């Protein structure tokens, strides 16, 4: 009696089940496809130099084969819906890996090439009187930090106040015109910003004027629209209920903006400002026109030419002096330093955003 | 402390659209007045004109008079900020400031206005307001945690504490219980009962049992159809509105025959 019921239960098929590929199968198929395609290429390369083995084509065609095989296997063993799911999943993952390749490759190249001259001398000496080996970027690091700081000091208040005007006060034609102009400014090529700043400073100080603050002005032309757009988005995200709650307590509008709207959106605004700084810190062309190129350390924004890291990289590559290898090494080390500065800036911004973000939960 | 509100021939507009027409009303001090009526009939719009919150919305304007103890809120040279310090407001959805702790939320009216107060004065004000809002016992051990971590009912009571901390004369409540469960609703109704000894309270509600439980007088608003302005249909003692109102529409509404 019990035996027959057990047999009947095992014979009955649960209608909710379907065939399923084991969890390891996508990885096995991927590996198998690579090995298969690699084998074909190896056969084609028989007798030739092993260095001629086409690894890029192996990976590419192997991945294509993997996508096809996985979809086919899945549609046979599972069902159509799962096959489509697996197809899209593998395409999306491949796209992700493809996006990562240039980024990882770039970081790898810069780190490997930059480490050669990433030493104490690089951070303690300038390029003054250096034509061959040695020398450093201390003047360019100072130049980068000061000119970018100058640009931030000019752009952040103007950009933030413009955003506040647009969100809290702007009505009608003026606000529309400002939004339109900011959009146009976002698209200005950086060399045009450089020419503009150079022209302005020529008016006041005569031709051939190079100074750090001119570079800051050129950079702020590029930076202001980015700050306006990102801060505007962040301020719009602040719920109107909070503004009304504040008004209902008898708080004037300007204090509501300063003490309720700004603190609520400060995390996003900080991120936006950091992105804007990262956008301009790597500019070269406008700075060559406005801040000039120099080999000496100059920490005065208002007098004499200043060099920034991108300009140093450019000038080392363009006019390497008597020892081109040394100059190239300095250029790579400069690029690595610039990346590290941007990275440090992003970390600081994240920290600030984390500290000031509205705290949720209990 | 509490003040008398008189409304004369009030029309409220959103740009060209007339939202509320011809309201005349007297609200007595130290009483609870309830506004009832179908959605979109202008109850909340009218309530917001009583502390000039209405004009926060672009294009909104008002014709007529609102007198608080004889002073016209819409007279020339009246500062809406000063009006709102006298007439507090609690909103439909609890909206504590997310960047502030429970304590700072209660002190928001003081701190946001840059008024200086000693620590002990602040502590007293926090305790008094939270006790006033029946919240003290629940939060006294976590005053420095964020206000957004409280439950919905607690957040709404926190908002009431915040509103009474600036010691207004009038407290406007725009459907304060519509997002709350029955227990929290009861807590807030008890609170309204206590608060009316000190404040003039005006409450908008969709819950007719609530109107009959908490209020002395009830105003029924109605709207003839979409695009028509809302009107005050009947304003009388709550008992009369809910037992034998003068107007047929009121009786239909409170007995549930329409709306």
């Amino acid at each position: 009696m019990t035996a027959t019921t057990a047999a009947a239960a095992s014979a009955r098929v649960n209608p909710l089940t379907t065939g399923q590929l084991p969890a390891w199968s996508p990885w096995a198929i991927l590996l198998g496809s690579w090995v298969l395609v690699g084998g074909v290429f190896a056969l084609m390369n028989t007798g030739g130099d092993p260095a001629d083995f086409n690894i890029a084509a192996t990976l590419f065609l192997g991945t294509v084969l993997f996508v096809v095989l996985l979809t086919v296997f899945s549609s046979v063993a599972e069902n159509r819906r799962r096959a489509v799911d697996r197809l899209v999943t593998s395409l999306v993952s491949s796209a992700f890996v493809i996006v990562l390749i240039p980024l990882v490759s770039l970081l790898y190249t810069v780190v490997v090439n930059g480490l050669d001259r990433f030493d104490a001398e690089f951070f303690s000496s300038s390029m003054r009187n250096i034509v061959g080996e040695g020398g450093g970027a201390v003047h360019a690091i100072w130049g980068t930090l000061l000119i970018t700081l100058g640009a931030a000091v000019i752009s952040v208040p103007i950009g933030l106040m413009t955003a506040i005007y647009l969100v809290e006060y702007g009505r009608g034609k003026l606000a529309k015109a400002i939004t339109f102009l900011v959009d146009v400014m976002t698209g200005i090529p950086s060399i045009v910003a450089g020419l503009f700043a150079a022209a302005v400073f020529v008016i006041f100080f005569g031709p051939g004027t190079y100074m750090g603050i001119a570079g800051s002005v050129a950079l702020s032309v590029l930076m202001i629209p980015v700050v306006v757009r990102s801060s505007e988005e962040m301020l719009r995200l602040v719920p109107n209920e909070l503004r009304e709650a504040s008004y209902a307590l008898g708080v004037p509008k300007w204090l509501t903006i300063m003490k309720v709207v700004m603190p609520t959106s400060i995390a996003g605004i900080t991120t936006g400002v950091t992105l804007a700084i990262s956008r301009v810190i790597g500019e070269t062309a406008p700075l060559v026109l406005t801040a000039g190129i120099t080999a000496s350390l100059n920490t005065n924004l208002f007098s004499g030419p200043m060099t920034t890291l991108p300009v140093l990289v450019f000038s080392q590559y363009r006019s390497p002096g008597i020892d081109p290898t040394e100059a190239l090494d300095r250029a790579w080390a400069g690029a690595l330093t610039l990346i590290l500065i941007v990275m440090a800036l992003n970390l600081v911004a994240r920290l600030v955003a984390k500290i000031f973000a509205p705290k949720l939960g209990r | 402390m509490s003040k008398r509100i008189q409304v004369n021939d009030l029309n409220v507009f959103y740009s060209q659209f007339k939202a509320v027409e011809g309201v005349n009303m007297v609200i007595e001090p130290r009483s609870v007045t309830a506004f009832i009526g179908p959605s979109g009939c202008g109850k909340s719009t009218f309530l917001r004109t009583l502390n000039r919150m209405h004009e926060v919305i672009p294009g909104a304007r008002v014709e007529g008079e609102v007198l608080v103890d004889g002073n016209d809120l819409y007279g020339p040279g009246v500062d809406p900020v000063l009006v709102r310090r006298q007439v507090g407001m609690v909103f439909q959805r609890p909206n504590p400031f997310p960047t502030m702790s429970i304590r700072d939320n209660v002190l928001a009216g003081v701190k946001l206005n840059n008024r200086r107060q000693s620590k002990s004065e602040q502590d007293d004000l926090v305790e008094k307001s939270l006790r006033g809002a029946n919240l003290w016992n629940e939060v006294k051990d976590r005053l420095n945690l964020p206000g957004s971590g409280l439950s919905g009912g607690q957040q709404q009571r926190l908002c009431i504490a915040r509103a009474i901390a600036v010691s207004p004369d009038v407290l406007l409540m725009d459907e304060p219980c519509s997002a709350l469960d029955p227990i929290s609703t009861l807590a807030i109704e008890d609170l309204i009962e206590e608060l009316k000894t000190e404040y003039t309270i005006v409450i908008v509600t969709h819950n007719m049992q609530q109107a009959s439980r908490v209020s002395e007088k009830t105003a029924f608003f109605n709207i003839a159809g979409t695009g028509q302005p809302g009107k005050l249909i009947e304003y009388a003692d709550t008992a009369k509105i809910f037992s034998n109102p003068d107007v047929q529409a009121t009786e239909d509404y409170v007995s549930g025959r329409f709306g």
Side-chain angles (χ1 to χ4, degrees):
Chain A
M1 180 64 190
T2 37
T4 45
T5 31
S10 66
R12 206 187 75 220
V13 178
N14 184 343
L16 300 176
T17 56
T18 63
Q20 259 180 341
L21 288 176
W24 47 263
S25 54
W27 300 109
I29 295 173
L30 180 62
L31 207 65
S33 315
W34 281 346
V35 169
L36 194 68
V37 176
V40 172
F41 274 106
L43 276 178
M44 282 161 62
N45 200 28
T46 335
D49 183 358
D52 286 344
F53 177 71
N54 199 338
I55 189 151
T58 304
L59 289 180
F60 175 72
L61 289 178
T63 311
V64 171
L65 184 65
F66 154 73
V67 173
V68 173
L69 282 182
L70 183 65
T71 313
V72 170
F73 285 174
S74 173
S75 59
V76 171
E78 298 178 329
N79 53 36
R80 211 184 110 78
R81 176 176 57 78
R82 274 173 183 264
V84 172
D85 180 33
R86 286 190 189 275
L87 172 69
V88 175
T89 308
S90 48
L91 286 179
V92 169
S93 318
S94 312
F96 168 68
V97 173
I98 289 170
V99 165
L100 275 188
I101 289 171
L103 184 68
V104 172
S105 156
L106 181 143
L107 278 178
Y108 176 79
T109 319
V110 173
V111 168
V112 166
N113 290 313
L115 280 178
D116 284 347
R117 275 305 316 280
F118 204 70
D119 49 27
E121 195 191 356
F122 189 76
F123 293 99
S124 58
S125 59
S126 69
M127 285 303 294
R128 190 170 179 80
N129 298 333
I130 305 280
V131 283
E133 60 180 317
V138 74
H139 62 307
I141 294 172
W142 273 107
T144 299
L145 294 180
L146 288 174
I147 289 180
T148 314
L149 182 73
V153 166
I154 297 172
S155 333
V156 172
I158 295 180
L160 200 53
M161 284 193 251
T162 309
I164 290 175
Y165 172 78
L166 287 177
V167 175
E168 305 286 340
Y169 297 92
R171 302 267 175 268
K173 283 187 179 152
L174 182 59
K176 280 208 180 102
I178 292 177
T179 311
F180 176 71
L181 289 177
V182 166
D183 282 348
V184 172
M185 265 176 90
T186 317
I188 287 185
S190 58
I191 187 73
V192 176
L195 284 170
F196 161 74
V200 167
F201 276 76
V202 162
I203 292 174
F204 291 110
F205 299 95
T209 317
Y210 290 112
M211 54 171 107
I213 193 72
S216 297
V217 170
L219 291 188
S220 29
V221 172
L222 298 167
M223 196 172 159
I224 288 172
V226 185
V227 174
V228 172
R229 289 309 271 184
S230 57
S231 316
E232 193 190 343
E233 293 304 317
M234 289 305 139
L235 292 173
R236 281 198 202 285
L237 282 182
V238 175
N240 250 332
E241 295 165 7
L242 296 181
R243 296 189 180 93
E244 292 194 342
S246 177
Y247 295 149
L249 289 171
V251 180
K253 188 165 186 170
W254 71 277
L255 278 172
T256 302
I257 294 168
M258 291 289 293
K259 294 195 163 186
V260 175
V261 178
M262 296 277 291
T264 310
S265 54
I266 194 73
I269 291 176
T270 320
T271 315
V273 168
T274 318
L275 285 179
I277 292 177
S278 313
R279 152 112 167 70
V280 299
I281 203 170
E283 284 296 346
T284 318
L287 292 174
V288 173
L289 289 176
T290 51
I293 301 178
T294 175
S296 319
L297 176 63
N298 173 14
T299 52
N300 186 354
L301 272 177
F302 300 95
S303 150
M306 278 174 114
T307 293
T308 63
L309 281 166
V311 175
L312 174 83
V313 172
F314 167 75
S315 64
Q316 290 301 310
Y317 194 82
R318 189 76 223 288
S319 39
I322 57 164
D323 191 343
T325 358
E326 279 297 318
L328 274 184
D329 283 348
R330 282 194 294 265
W332 281 112
L336 178 59
T337 315
L338 187 62
I339 288 182
L340 289 178
I341 290 176
V342 172
M343 207 185 255
L345 210 63
N346 274 296
L347 287 178
V348 169
R350 283 192 164 222
L351 205 67
V352 170
K354 195 167 182 176
I355 293 169
F356 289 113
K359 284 147 194 85
L360 299 170
R362 36 209 87 199
Chain B
M1 273 294 278
S2 94
K3 289 191 171 169
R4 183 170 190 266
I5 304 172
Q6 186 175 349
V7 181
N8 297 330
D9 286 329
L10 193 80
N11 297 324
V12 191
F13 296 86
Y14 289 106
S15 300
Q16 296 307 311
F17 174 65
K18 195 185 232 181
V20 178
E21 185 177 40
V23 177
N24 287 289
M25 184 185 279
V26 174
I27 296 169
E28 294 299 333
R30 275 182 288 281
S31 71
V32 180
T33 305
F35 292 173
I36 59 171
S39 291
C41 71
K43 311 178 293 290
S44 296
T45 303
F46 174 61
L47 187 78
R48 289 166 64 98
T49 61
L50 297 182
N51 70 341
R52 296 195 60 165
M53 281 299 287
H54 178 60
E55 65 202 45
V56 170
I57 298 161
R61 65 199 161 84
V62 168
E63 286 171 0
E65 277 186 324
V66 180
L67 306 173
V68 173
D69 267 9
N71 304 315
D72 189 0
L73 298 190
Y74 289 91
V78 172
D79 183 356
V81 169
L82 295 178
V83 171
R84 292 176 199 142
R85 285 182 191 167
Q86 310 251 307
V87 186
M89 188 159 188
V90 175
F91 296 86
Q92 185 168 0
R93 286 218 313 232
N95 50 3
F97 297 120
T99 47
M100 300 183 192
S101 66
I102 294 173
R103 188 187 137 87
D104 286 349
N105 260 291
V106 178
L107 292 173
V110 175
K111 287 200 164 176
L112 293 181
N113 278 314
N114 285 336
R115 241 177 291 152
R116 296 203 180 279
Q117 257 189 345
S118 72
K119 177 98 168 48
S120 61
E121 276 177 326
Q122 290 188 346
D123 288 341
D124 290 346
L125 181 61
V126 169
E127 180 166 353
K128 183 172 151 261
S129 309
L130 285 173
R131 278 192 195 283
N134 271 332
L135 192 61
W136 176 250
N137 286 326
E138 290 160 63
V139 300
K140 64 182 173 196
D141 301 323
R142 43 175 173 158
L143 290 176
N144 290 316
L145 294 183
S148 41
L150 298 173
S151 76
Q154 289 170 330
Q155 286 188 17
Q156 190 63 299
R157 277 179 284 153
L158 179 61
C159 292
I160 295 177
R162 183 174 69 185
I164 61 182
V166 294
S167 43
D169 303 311
V170 180
L171 201 54
L172 309 177
M173 298 181 159
D174 188 357
E175 296 182 46
C177 302
S178 65
L180 304 182
D181 69 294
I183 306 291
S184 307
T185 304
L186 197 65
I188 292 193
E189 286 180 12
D190 288 346
L191 180 58
I192 293 171
E193 198 66 27
E194 289 168 28
L195 292 177
K196 78 174 180 193
T197 56
E198 282 186 68
Y199 304 93
T200 306
I201 294 177
V202 185
I203 177 171
V204 169
T205 179
H206 274 296
N207 181 333
M208 278 177 273
Q209 284 79 21
Q210 184 172 55
S212 64
R213 277 195 299 263
V214 300
S215 68
E216 277 93 47
K217 294 194 110 182
T218 299
F220 172 62
F221 288 79
N222 203 356
I223 188 170
T226 352
Q228 305 284 319
K231 287 182 179 163
L232 175 61
I233 303 296
E234 189 169 1
Y235 176 52
D237 287 344
T238 301
K240 182 171 162 58
I241 291 276
F242 283 95
S243 52
N244 58 337
D246 290 334
V247 185
Q248 184 63 35
T250 315
E251 188 171 355
D252 289 349
Y253 186 76
V254 298
S255 60
R257 257 188 290 248
F258 87 102

